[in-house]
Amino acid sequence: MVFNRNSLAAFSLIEMLIVIGLIVAIYAVTLSFGSRTHQETEAERCSDNLQKIFLAAQIYDNDFRAFPLATNAKTSELALNLLVPRYSADTSIFICPGGRDSEIPAGVSLVKNKISYAYYMGRNTNAGPGDFLISDRQINTLSKNTGDQVFSLTGNSPGNNHSKYGGNILFCDDHVQKIPPQTPFSLAFSNGIVLLNPNP
């Protein structure tokens, strides 16, 4: 059988350059998602989310004299769902911009969804300014002392809302502090406080 050289399908130089250009662009976008600069920008947006959740929790606290408390809750979704929709119909605030969790439609229950934040359940109006209330997803639900690992060291889950660049902690005086993966201060808790991580 004889093949006509003109009938053979082949890539032209322009087509090959276009394909290479697309591969480079996709690689650059993927690489930039985990970069320190990208994650620092997302950490600032995450801080705004935490402060909005705190505002909703404060209004809840005014009504019930305690922050959200769900008996036998195993995940932060179950406890923080008490804020939706009465205290916040904006469910986008429960999703960390640095993470890859799916959006939740406005006003929809958090219970059957996955949020991005851990919650220290059991705080009430007696909470002091140095008490912590909400944080980015943590590596586990244990009490942590100074120097203990709180967030991912590698960028892999768990505890990787901001890749390997640490995470945010919201305190009961409404200030948010960004910390590295290993906490520079104690995040130990007791007296009925329970740390709840979101659904895995």
Side-chain angles (χ1 to χ4, degrees), residues 1-23:
M1 182 176 206
V2 177
F3 289 98
N4 182 347
R5 182 174 173 85
N6 293 332
S7 69
L8 293 176
F11 281 113
S12 71
L13 179 60
I14 300 235
E15 290 170 326
M16 268 204 300
L17 290 173
I18 290 171
V19 169
I20 291 169
L22 287 172
I23 290 169

Side-chain angles (χ1 to χ4, degrees), residues 112-185:
K112 292 184 179 178
N113 289 286
K114 180 179 177 182
I115 67 172
S116 304
Y117 300 114
Y119 174 59
Y120 290 91
M121 187 173 72
R123 302 262 189 233
N124 57 32
T125 50
N126 298 324
D131 291 327
F132 29 90
L133 186 65
I134 304 171
S135 77
D136 279 298
R137 178 184 289 110
Q138 296 190 21
I139 59 162
N140 58 44
T141 57
L142 302 175
S143 185
K144 296 167 183 78
N145 296 311
T146 303
D148 286 349
Q149 185 181 348
V150 179
F151 304 114
S152 175
L153 292 170
T154 62
N156 297 325
S157 64
N160 65 333
N161 282 6
H162 299 285
S163 188
K164 59 184 177 183
Y165 303 112
N168 288 316
I169 306 283
L170 171 88
F171 292 83
C172 290
D173 65 353
D174 190 29
H175 89 275
V176 177
Q177 186 168 342
K178 174 111 171 44
I179 66 168
Q182 293 168 300
T183 181
F185 48 79

Side-chain angles (χ1 to χ4, degrees), residues 30 33-34 39 95-103 116 137 160-161:
T30 305
F33 182 83
Q39 288 301 328
I95 303 298
C96 176
R100 293 184 176 156
D101 297 315
S102 300
E103 300 256 339
S116 304
R137 178 184 289 110
N160 65 333
N161 282 6

Side-chain angles (χ1 to χ4, degrees), residues 28-46 96-100 160-163 165 178:
V29 168
T30 305
L31 186 63
S32 71
F33 182 83
S35 73
R36 179 180 291 276
T37 304
H38 174 79
Q39 288 301 328
E40 285 174 358
T41 301
E42 297 303 338
E44 289 174 24
R45 290 179 52 216
C46 173
C96 176
R100 293 184 176 156
N160 65 333
N161 282 6
H162 299 285
S163 188
Y165 303 112
K178 174 111 171 44

Side-chain angles (χ1 to χ4, degrees), residues 66-84:
F67 290 115
L69 179 65
T71 307
N72 299 322
K74 300 293 183 203
T75 67
S76 53
E77 287 89 355
L78 292 171
L80 294 176
N81 187 56
L82 296 170
L83 300 175
V84 178

Side-chain angles (χ1 to χ4, degrees), residues 42-101:
E42 297 303 338
E44 289 174 24
R45 290 179 52 216
C46 173
S47 175
D48 292 342
N49 278 358
L50 291 174
Q51 288 174 320
K52 289 173 185 172
I53 297 170
F54 182 75
L55 181 61
Q58 267 189 317
I59 298 168
Y60 182 96
D61 179 52
N62 288 338
D63 287 350
F64 296 98
R65 298 287 173 222
F67 290 115
L69 179 65
T71 307
N72 299 322
K74 300 293 183 203
T75 67
S76 53
E77 287 89 355
L78 292 171
L80 294 176
N81 187 56
L82 296 170
L83 300 175
V84 178
R86 182 173 179 185
Y87 300 95
S88 177
D90 181 5
T91 51
S92 69
I93 63 175
F94 296 97
I95 303 298
C96 176
R100 293 184 176 156
D101 297 315

